Amino acid sequence: MAAEFLGTLLLVFFGVGAAVLAAEYVGSLGIALTFGFVLLALAYAIGPISGSHVNPAVTLGMFLAGRLDIEMAVKYWVAQLVGGIAGAALLFLVAKQVPGLETSGSFGSNGFGDRSAVHINTGGAFVAELILTFLFVYTVLAVTHKVAVVGFDGLPIGIALATVHLVGIPLTGTSVNPARSLGPALFAGGAALTQLWMFIVAPLVGAAVAAYVHMITHPQPNRRPRREMRVS
């Protein structure tokens, strides 16, 4: 739980921080690479401890794939959500020290409609977040064989997160992670909060679809029932 809390905190601080503090210098490509590189680093730093999920959608996928029991999944979700809020709080503290930097209304939060760079509508945003999350969670499930991230598992996971950000930033700002969306929205306020439901529901649906498709493409005949699974 401590590893998931810390990992989510760092992912939000650095990933969202790239959008809030450095967007005009690094652009969308830099933001996407920041998310990917931070997750890659975390995969090796905390992957052997918790699996470096740092994302409730990934944890849901692991649960549905039978790699976590419900008790451990709930603990992960709590740690991730609190970590996301803590990371956003630290970023908010830093942002307030930058003269003229506006934090209300946006603050790296996700959005659709007039809060989207391309003004994608509600249905389009839902489909986009579902597909983006599907690719990311499917990749995580496909390259790992248990909860922990080992060996070179972190490389395709980091690349997948960077890739979905390259496509998703103009659409919704890219969530694929309810914890990443919750923290910034709490500090942005306004429409960021009223649209938050999208970036909780769509990633979780995408994760569930990914877990189902993974069971078809990667059958595991000796898989134990989910209620018996514990973190190794």
Side-chain angles (χ1 to χ4, degrees):
M1 289 181 69
E4 286 297 303
F5 168 84
L6 178 62
T8 311
L9 182 157
L10 294 173
L11 180 70
V12 170
F13 181 86
F14 285 98
V16 180
V20 173
L21 302 173
E24 65 178 294
Y25 304 103
V26 301
S28 295
L29 176 60
I31 296 169
L33 291 178
T34 300
F35 272 100
F37 285 153
V38 171
L39 186 60
L40 176 59
L42 291 173
Y44 291 103
I46 63 172
I49 300 171
S50 68
S52 188
H53 296 185
V54 297
N55 183 340
V58 172
T59 299
L60 177 62
M62 288 286 186
F63 167 69
L64 294 176
R67 302 183 193 177
L68 284 175
D69 68 7
I70 186 62
E71 179 184 352
M72 189 60 67
V74 170
K75 290 179 179 179
Y76 271 39
W77 287 328
V78 171
Q80 291 156 358
L81 293 174
V82 175
I85 295 171
L90 287 175
L91 178 59
F92 186 77
L93 178 63
V94 172
K96 281 300 184 182
Q97 313 313 309
V98 180
L101 182 64
E102 183 61 47
T103 56
S104 62
S106 181
F107 194 60
S109 58
N110 303 112
F112 52 89
D114 60 3
R115 301 189 69 251
S116 161
V118 297
H119 295 83
I120 192 169
N121 62 26
T122 305
F126 188 92
V127 173
E129 284 291 330
L130 188 156
I131 295 174
L132 294 173
T133 308
F134 170 86
L135 170 62
F136 178 60
V137 175
Y138 181 81
T139 300
V140 174
L141 292 174
V143 302
T144 59
H145 299 288
K146 54 183 180 179
V147 174
V149 177
V150 297
F152 290 99
D153 294 352
L155 189 58
I157 293 172
I159 291 173
L161 186 61
T163 300
V164 300
H165 274 81
L166 286 173
V167 175
I169 286 174
L171 302 177
T172 63
T174 311
S175 171
V176 305
N177 183 341
R180 171 261 182 270
S181 296
L182 174 63
L186 291 176
F187 289 91
L193 281 174
T194 61
Q195 294 186 354
L196 178 61
W197 66 270
M198 171 73 73
F199 306 103
I200 295 175
V201 176
L204 294 179
V205 174
V209 175
Y212 176 74
V213 173
H214 176 261
M215 286 189 288
I216 296 175
T217 59
H218 296 70
Q220 301 174 48
N222 297 322
R223 175 183 165 202
R224 287 185 291 163
R226 192 162 51 239
R227 64 178 178 274
E228 297 178 10
M229 297 298 291
R230 301 289 298 188
V231 178
S232 299

